[in-house]
Amino acid sequence: MKFKTKLITLVVAFLAAISFALPSQVNAANTDMVDTSNNNGLMTYDNYYDMLVHYGVKAVVQKVSEGTTYVDPTAKYNLASAKQAGLYLNGYHFARYTTVEGARAEARFAVAAAQSAGLPIGAVLATDVEASEQANNSYAANTANNKAFMEVVQAAGYRSTIYTMGSWVGTKMSIDKGWIADYPYNTSRDRYTSHHAWQFRSDQQFAGSYGNFDVSQLYDDFFTANQTPSPSAPITPVPSQPAKSNAASDSDYAQTGVFKPSTTVNIRTGAGTGYASVGSYAPGESVIYDHVYIRGTYVWARYLSYSGRYHYVALGVNGGESYGSRSSNAQTYSHTYYTVRSGDSFWSIARKYGISMYTLAANNGKSIYSLIYPGESLYIR
């Protein structure tokens, strides 16, 4: 007994000594996977690429829907950005169901939302079960409802699992292998290794990204199966098929003006048709530019978007057709407005102008959940 006591004392002393040399326990888990939703706004290629390179994030789980009426407005854009950055794609649905039929209805709604957002078949579409509706339900009812939801999702070609809190595992529902949230790290460590994933914090911040993020450690390949990430966007866009250019005719001017397109023109990340298109301007809109480039076939205008990045639109063909009218008096346009068209949403309009959809909504006395109607004029700045 004396030897055992002495050995334990030595072990405790050793662990105490090395604990000062270890990184904080919050950072000890792997940030394998990150959750994103409308709470984080529109996520760009750069946001996800930074997570991949500097934090080791390899998978994303994007909210796609909630209940039977809400579709996350950032889902399509965020999944596309994450795909470009080379991350594994997954989705989740925030559950409100209390019955088997309700669970099936929400599953059908979630599948439709996931397909519309571009979540690839074979990816995970999880059910997030943590709301008051489930807290007030019985163990048996929650277990049956979750099973019904996952069966519909799986029949549609997605894989599914349950996300919930650690305190609900085995108390509010039966879970074989799930995705479990339990913090803080030092009290939950190694408790969930038999599950697919463990969400170990909800306040992770990433440089250049908005808000707090939930991050998880993966214990198997459930969230990374059936996909082969293939990054498709370079850090600095480079024309894949640039317009033919004659060096003698290429020139640029520090010229400020206002361009009003007479036809729909694409917004590009560089002065060339080979650069990525990130939106468009339609007749009746206007853009204030600060530089003009002649690049072979086309004349381009540069403007600074609200995201702080330069974007470009074609003013017309060099020596030929004009795509709209230009005015040199940019000062007369102190405000920018946008007329809503059918199919528009806060996130699509915000993306066009490089502004946060939350700022756009607030500028017009609305929230991102407010309805907007074709013909309505929105104040941009």
Side-chain angles (χ1 to χ4, degrees):
M1 291 294 290
K2 281 185 179 181
F3 174 77
K4 185 175 182 181
T5 301
K6 187 178 295 186
L7 179 60
I8 291 174
T9 301
L10 289 172
V11 170
V12 170
F14 173 72
L15 291 175
I18 66 170
S19 66
F20 293 104
L22 292 174
S24 67
Q25 296 215 2
V26 168
N27 296 323
N30 296 330
T31 53
D32 295 322
M33 186 166 70
V34 63
D35 306 12
T36 54
S37 72
N38 59 86
N39 291 321
N40 306 111
L42 296 173
M43 299 287 293
T44 67
Y45 163 84
D46 289 340
N47 293 146
Y48 286 122
Y49 186 79
D50 183 72
M51 292 178 182
L52 172 70
V53 172
H54 296 110
Y55 297 88
V57 174
K58 54 189 173 185
V60 63
V61 186
Q62 167 68 37
K63 181 177 181 178
V64 297
S65 53
E66 179 175 336
T68 56
T69 59
Y70 179 79
V71 174
D72 193 303
T74 66
K76 186 171 185 177
Y77 184 86
N78 288 356
L79 286 172
S81 295
K83 180 179 180 180
Q84 287 181 322
L87 297 183
Y88 293 94
L89 307 182
N90 303 280
Y92 76 90
H93 168 85
F94 192 91
R96 295 292 186 182
Y97 50 72
T98 57
T99 66
V100 166
E101 282 309 309
R104 288 172 179 157
E106 288 195 26
R108 290 191 291 269
F109 183 76
V111 166
Q115 292 173 338
S116 178
L119 185 69
I121 294 298
V124 173
L125 178 53
T127 177
D128 181 342
V129 185
E130 57 175 313
S132 57
E133 288 88 341
Q134 289 85 43
N136 296 324
N137 239 10
S138 69
Y139 175 97
N142 284 334
T143 300
N145 296 343
N146 294 340
K147 182 174 182 291
F149 179 95
M150 291 191 291
E151 285 175 346
V152 173
V153 169
Q154 290 162 356
Y158 292 111
R159 293 174 299 117
S160 194
T161 190
I162 302 167
Y163 167 91
T164 195
M165 298 170 284
S167 60
W168 283 25
V169 177
T171 59
K172 289 291 184 180
M173 65 197 74
S174 173
I175 299 178
D176 179 21
K177 289 175 72 71
W179 170 25
I180 313 302
D182 204 349
Y183 341 117
Y185 175 83
N186 56 1
T187 60
S188 307
R189 185 178 182 179
D190 300 328
R191 291 179 61 185
Y192 302 105
T193 55
S194 62
H195 290 271
H196 296 307
W198 164 44
Q199 186 184 98
F200 60 91
R201 67 182 298 182
S202 60
D203 59 353
Q204 176 71 49
Q205 293 189 336
F206 298 99
S209 298
Y210 173 79
N212 292 330
F213 294 82
D214 300 332
V215 290
S216 302
Q217 176 166 304
L218 303 181
Y219 293 117
D220 56 28
D221 66 351
F222 188 72
F223 285 92
T224 58
N226 300 332
Q227 295 181 53
T228 303
S230 53
S232 58
I235 300 174
T236 302
V238 176
S240 54
Q241 291 182 329
K244 290 183 179 180
S245 175
N246 179 343
S249 67
D250 285 356
S251 56
D252 60 274
Y253 309 90
Q255 185 181 94
T256 300
V258 178
F259 174 60
K260 286 186 172 183
S262 57
T263 185
T264 300
V265 293
N266 289 326
I267 301 169
R268 298 190 180 275
T269 56
T273 57
Y275 286 90
S277 174
V278 294
S280 63
Y281 279 103
E285 298 182 82
S286 62
V287 58
I288 299 174
Y289 58 88
D290 64 7
H291 216 93
V292 173
Y293 297 85
I294 297 175
R295 292 291 182 267
T297 304
Y298 299 100
V299 179
W300 299 87
R302 183 187 76 177
Y303 70 96
L304 188 65
S305 76
Y306 296 96
S307 65
R309 296 185 181 185
Y310 282 115
H311 287 154
Y312 303 78
V313 294
L315 300 176
V317 177
N318 185 15
E321 178 189 5
S322 173
Y323 295 153
S325 63
R326 282 192 277 171
S327 168
S328 61
N329 188 3
Q331 302 305 314
T332 60
Y333 293 83
S334 57
H335 299 290
T336 301
Y337 292 88
Y338 174 80
T339 301
V340 178
R341 300 197 295 269
S342 178
D344 279 339
S345 64
F346 277 121
W347 77 266
S348 65
I349 299 170
R351 180 189 179 192
K352 174 194 292 281
Y353 288 98
I355 188 174
S356 162
M357 66 178 176
Y358 298 96
T359 301
L360 174 61
N363 283 350
N364 291 274
K366 300 175 183 288
S367 78
I368 62 169
Y369 305 109
S370 300
L371 296 177
I372 54 177
Y373 303 93
E376 181 178 357
S377 181
L378 294 181
Y379 171 70
I380 304 300
R381 71 165 183 174

